Amino acid sequence: MSLIGHLRELRNRIGIALFFVLIGTAVAFWWYEHGLGDFIRAPYCNLPDDLRYNDADGSCGLLVTDVFGGALIRLKISFIAGIVLSAPFWLYQVWGFLTPGLKKNEKRYGLSFVAASTLLFALGAALAYLSLSAGLRLLLSLAGDGVVVALTAQDYIGFVISLLLAFGVSFELPLIAVVLNLIGVLSHSVLSKARRWIYFLTIVFAAFITPTQDPFTMLLMAGPMCVLFEIAIQVARFVDKRRAKREAALGLADLDDDEASPLDAAPSPLDSAPSPLDPAPSPLDAPAHTQN
């Protein structure tokens, strides 16, 4: 395809992806009144009555301080939920645009990477949602007695989204280590020697990235990340062993980085093809067949 053809295909696929996101947003906008809003408010509404705002009838609620606040909150939640709901469709468009330029093994690695990254992000987001109530209880209880806690919808939704994104993105980091090992940039020996530093920096990273800044949420993020990094180290061990066996079979195991590989650099002989200027063979030149 020409450059204009690629740009035209990119435009069409972006348009189709946005169309599916729009449909997902519309579905989520309708779903907001049928369970999605309650699902978002559940970690806050599960808190004790003295740690949350209650209406006159005793029900849980979030405050809206401006005229368009309620509409913007609903649109924001619907848009994020629409992206999640339509992910299989717009990811297919991205994959369809990239696939023609990939080799067979690259397609296989690409599908594995997309599946693993999606699973890890979902795992991190689910763990963050489960930790919301405990983190909110710890943070809001620090206000002490005599203080009425009333969260605005904007602050609470922003807090929830930032926590889900922080956990989801953080769980992708061990996968990056595996990818760097697969392409030969990061070896198992380096990862194994830096294991203590990896665990230490993971805890420091969790302390900075968690929006709640409480030790419970920090450890809830750092613990699974350390487990995932250990899995990544073991995967790197397996990959390096297979790579070493393959290099040993090819006689490349004992070579230095600056030493040329023992490959035959001589050009292979070309098959003699008949020239268009050569005369066509005569039927008389054909070998005679003998009859048995």
Side-chain angles (χ1 to χ4, degrees):
M1 296 176 63
S2 63
L3 177 60
I4 300 300
H6 282 294
L7 294 177
R8 187 180 297 111
E9 183 187 6
L10 179 62
R11 180 198 61 187
N12 294 337
R13 291 193 178 274
I14 290 177
I16 296 173
L18 292 178
F19 174 73
F20 283 117
V21 172
L22 181 61
I23 293 178
T25 302
V27 173
F29 191 86
W30 170 85
W31 186 26
Y32 185 85
E33 290 293 340
H34 298 79
L36 181 59
D38 296 335
F39 178 79
I40 297 295
R41 293 189 298 267
Y44 174 70
C45 293
N46 290 336
L47 297 175
D49 293 342
D50 58 336
L51 294 180
R52 58 181 173 83
Y53 173 77
N54 298 309
D55 296 335
D57 56 355
S59 60
C60 169
L62 296 170
L63 300 179
V64 176
T65 57
D66 57 273
V67 176
F68 297 101
L72 293 177
I73 287 298
R74 184 167 180 174
L75 286 174
K76 185 177 182 179
I77 295 177
S78 300
F79 179 68
I80 295 175
I83 293 177
V84 176
L85 292 176
S86 61
F89 301 98
W90 58 261
L91 282 176
Y92 176 80
Q93 298 300 320
V94 175
W95 185 249
F97 180 76
L98 298 177
T99 298
L102 300 178
K103 299 179 181 178
K104 184 177 180 180
N105 60 335
E106 292 173 342
K107 294 178 183 179
R108 184 174 65 252
Y109 289 146
L111 285 175
S112 303
F113 176 78
V114 170
S117 60
T118 303
L119 179 61
L120 289 175
F121 187 90
L123 178 63
L127 189 61
Y129 182 82
L130 295 176
S131 67
L132 269 174
S133 294
L136 287 171
R137 182 181 290 108
L138 177 62
L139 292 176
L140 297 180
S141 62
L142 296 177
D145 299 332
V147 176
V148 178
V149 178
L151 297 180
T152 63
Q154 293 89 337
D155 293 339
Y156 175 74
I157 298 302
F159 170 77
V160 171
I161 292 175
S162 61
L163 188 64
L164 296 179
L165 289 177
F167 269 74
V169 173
S170 299
F171 276 40
E172 304 283 349
L173 297 180
L175 182 61
I176 296 177
V178 173
V179 173
L180 292 177
N181 175 258
L182 289 174
I183 63 178
V185 176
L186 195 61
S187 64
H188 167 260
S189 60
V190 174
L191 288 173
S192 181
K193 292 178 182 178
R195 180 182 277 110
R196 295 182 179 179
W197 279 105
I198 290 175
Y199 293 161
F200 173 74
L201 293 177
T202 299
I203 296 175
V204 173
F205 173 80
F208 278 98
I209 200 66
T210 50
T212 57
Q213 300 296 321
D214 63 281
F216 174 78
T217 307
M218 180 197 71
L219 293 177
L220 193 62
M221 174 186 287
M225 284 186 64
C226 291
V227 174
L228 291 174
F229 268 117
E230 183 61 33
I231 294 176
I233 292 175
Q234 299 307 318
V235 171
R237 179 198 298 271
F238 175 75
V239 172
D240 284 359
K241 284 185 177 180
R242 290 190 57 185
R243 185 181 291 123
K245 290 181 179 180
R246 185 168 59 251
E247 291 178 352
L250 297 175
L252 307 177
D254 299 330
L255 294 179
D256 295 332
D257 294 338
D258 297 332
E259 185 178 353
S261 58
L263 299 178
D264 186 8
S268 58
L270 298 177
D271 296 334
S272 57
S275 174
L277 300 179
D278 294 339
S282 174
L284 300 178
D285 297 336
H289 295 280
T290 59
Q291 184 175 4
N292 294 329

